[in-house]
Amino acid sequence: MIPNLNIVPFVSVDHMMKLVLKIGVERFLTELAAYIEDDFRRWEAFDKTPRVASHSAEGVIELMPTSDGEVYGFKYVNGHPKNMREGRQTVTAFGMLADVHNGYPVLLSEMTILTALRTAAMSALAAKHLAPAGADCMALIGNGAQAEFQALAFKALLGVRRLRFFDIDRAATEKCIRNLAGLGFDMVACGTAQEAVEGAQIITTVTADKQYATILTDNMVGSGVHINAVGGDCPGKTELHRDILLRSDIFVEYPPQTRIEGEIQQLPADHPVTELWQVITGVAKGRREPGQITLFDSVGFAIEDFSALRYVRDQLASTGLYQELDMLADPDEPRDLFGMLLRAAAPAKMA
Ligand SMILES: NC(=O)c1ccc[n+]([C@@H]2O[C@H](COP(=O)([O-])OP(=O)(O)OC[C@H]3O[C@@H](n4cnc5c(N)ncnc54)[C@H](O)[C@@H]3O)[C@@H](O)[C@H]2O)c1
């Protein structure tokens, strides 16, 4: 597709938005979930490592690499809960894919929007295996940047039609309800988290706070629900009371990373958890009985970003929604890198 070795296809924010709107948000989420599912099925083919995190008082900056032996990918992502109050995103990201055989990048992409889509697709994919049969009502606690994506993924993959919102900032809830109007939801704004979980078979927590928060206490969680805990994803940053964890069957992406970053950082290092890829491949069971509390302790793992970038890359040829970025130096003779620099100076001198 790209004839010139110096060129790397780049998907800007503008092109990503056009791509998502062209495909349709729900179809994008469904197809992306299928890519993640495919990659989770070949879990053992991937290089895996907990992400490399650089913590500061205000937040965290992380690098998330993986490879399947053919393609290498990584994402840069930050998490700064105070950003929102300064007019910035809490989470921003970009990422790339490269050809393992020559190391050349083959895609560079914005991933702020793509992260929201992949996180939502991953949540709904997990819930497909874990939520009670016929669940159609979800409590959505934390109504920030990720929230609408979560709602639409649960609609597209599970048929969730009823949403019960809560956020400490009423304006965030109003924004969600406004954005999702006309998309087929029955929506209720609630005054407390306790009120939001009433009658919900699925509880999604997606709040941002750089501390051990308690968005859900034990008495708020009845039997049979599925909890999709998305916001606790850093050391010292959790959302659920420890007692809920002790009553739940806990499902995770990659245990070595989740034990550092997830809700289970509150538990001993040998507390049993089930890896989602094993549920997806049928090696382990998902939901076993109606009364069970299932918990997806989501932190976000590199393979999901790899799948998302792979999905975006597969859309480029048919949509043309990318720019050609002059990103790799490509001298006529590979060893003459300096000569290329000199030749670039020559016309300037002559002028
Ligand atoms: N697990 C993953 O893969 C993954 C991926 C992306 C983001 N995240 C995490 O999800 C969280 C939300 O991200 P975002 O981009 O939507 O952030 P955001 O800042 O846009 O929104 C967060 C919302 O949470 C609300 N909130 C804070 N404390 C609350 C509380 N106690 N009760 C109810 N609401 C509360 C805020 O008012 C805000 O509206 C962040 O913590 C982020 O790190 C996780």
Side-chain angles (χ1 to χ4, degrees):
M1 183 175 65
I2 305 295
N4 299 324
L5 291 178
N6 63 314
I7 296 297
V8 175
F10 169 60
V11 180
S12 64
V13 172
D14 185 48
H15 277 141
M16 183 63 75
M17 293 195 294
K18 289 192 170 108
L19 184 64
V20 176
L21 293 174
K22 184 177 170 69
I23 291 172
V25 183
E26 289 186 49
R27 195 181 124 205
F28 193 112
L29 286 161
T30 306
E31 292 178 354
L32 175 50
Y35 269 60
I36 296 174
E37 188 160 19
D38 283 349
D39 287 339
F40 271 50
R41 281 187 196 284
R42 56 190 191 104
W43 185 262
E44 281 152 312
F46 284 90
D47 270 352
K48 294 174 282 293
T49 178
R51 60 185 156 195
V52 182
S54 174
H55 295 280
S56 61
E58 293 87 8
V60 64
I61 294 177
E62 297 163 323
L63 291 178
M64 304 172 69
T66 190
S67 166
D68 67 356
E70 292 294 320
V71 177
Y72 171 93
F74 82 83
K75 179 169 86 170
Y76 165 103
V77 64
N78 77 298
H80 287 70
K82 55 112 193 155
N83 272 7
M84 188 256 299
R85 291 186 290 280
E86 300 167 356
R88 292 185 163 93
Q89 292 287 299
T90 296
V91 175
T92 65
F94 67 89
M96 57 157 274
L97 294 178
D99 182 337
V100 166
H101 301 292
N102 53 34
Y104 268 42
V106 294
L107 175 69
L108 179 69
S109 178
E110 89 78 41
M111 290 193 78
T112 303
I113 296 168
L114 193 57
T115 292
L117 289 156
R118 81 84 156 111
T119 303
M122 184 67 231
S123 284
L125 175 61
K128 235 175 60 172
H129 295 275
L130 303 176
D136 74 339
C137 180
M138 177 162 85
L140 194 39
I141 302 174
N143 303 154
Q146 311 296 317
E148 294 92 331
F149 296 91
Q150 289 281 329
L152 287 166
F154 277 80
K155 174 170 176 249
L157 272 82
L158 283 96
V160 165
R161 301 279 155 171
R162 293 189 291 138
L163 297 173
R164 300 178 63 78
F165 294 95
F166 173 67
D167 194 292
I168 43 171
D169 181 354
R170 186 74 175 196
T173 302
E174 284 163 7
K175 173 231 37 163
C176 273
I177 292 181
R178 206 166 46 241
N179 284 342
L180 294 171
L183 295 178
F185 291 109
D186 168 7
M187 299 186 277
V188 181
C190 301
T192 61
Q194 167 90 57
E195 187 190 337
V197 303
E198 277 165 25
Q201 301 106 341
I202 300 171
I203 303 172
T204 289
T205 55
V206 62
T207 66
D209 205 342
K210 198 170 167 47
Q211 61 166 353
Y212 292 111
T214 309
I215 307 301
L216 295 180
T217 53
D218 193 33
N219 62 321
M220 289 159 68
V221 179
S223 67
V225 300
H226 172 63
I227 304 171
N228 171 41
V230 178
D233 58 358
C234 249
K237 174 167 173 266
T238 57
E239 293 181 306
L240 308 184
H241 192 281
R242 185 174 181 275
D243 289 350
I244 300 174
L245 309 184
L246 299 175
R247 286 166 62 213
S248 305
D249 286 305
I250 302 172
F251 297 82
V252 301
E253 293 142 313
Y254 179 57
Q257 183 178 311
T258 313
R259 293 213 187 264
I260 300 168
E261 302 179 350
E263 297 299 325
I264 57 170
Q265 66 186 275
Q266 304 181 66
L267 300 179
D270 60 352
H271 188 90
V273 296
T274 305
E275 296 185 49
L276 265 178
W277 73 272
Q278 295 191 320
V279 176
I280 287 169
T281 53
V283 175
K285 273 233 170 305
R287 176 166 288 272
R288 281 177 283 99
E289 53 194 61
Q292 186 187 9
I293 299 171
T294 50
L295 164 62
F296 173 36
D297 188 359
S298 159
V299 291
F301 186 56
I303 294 176
E304 296 148 33
D305 298 304
F306 180 96
S307 313
L309 288 169
R310 211 164 59 72
Y311 175 68
V312 167
R313 189 178 179 214
D314 284 352
Q315 313 310 313
L316 298 189
S318 61
T319 63
L321 289 171
Y322 64 94
Q323 284 160 249
E324 296 193 344
L325 207 61
D326 176 22
M327 196 167 119
L328 303 174
D330 183 36
D332 297 338
E333 208 276 273
R335 286 166 301 185
D336 197 18
L337 189 61
F338 192 73
M340 186 173 90
L341 189 65
L342 289 182
R343 284 189 291 282
K349 261 194 194 152
M350 274 190 280

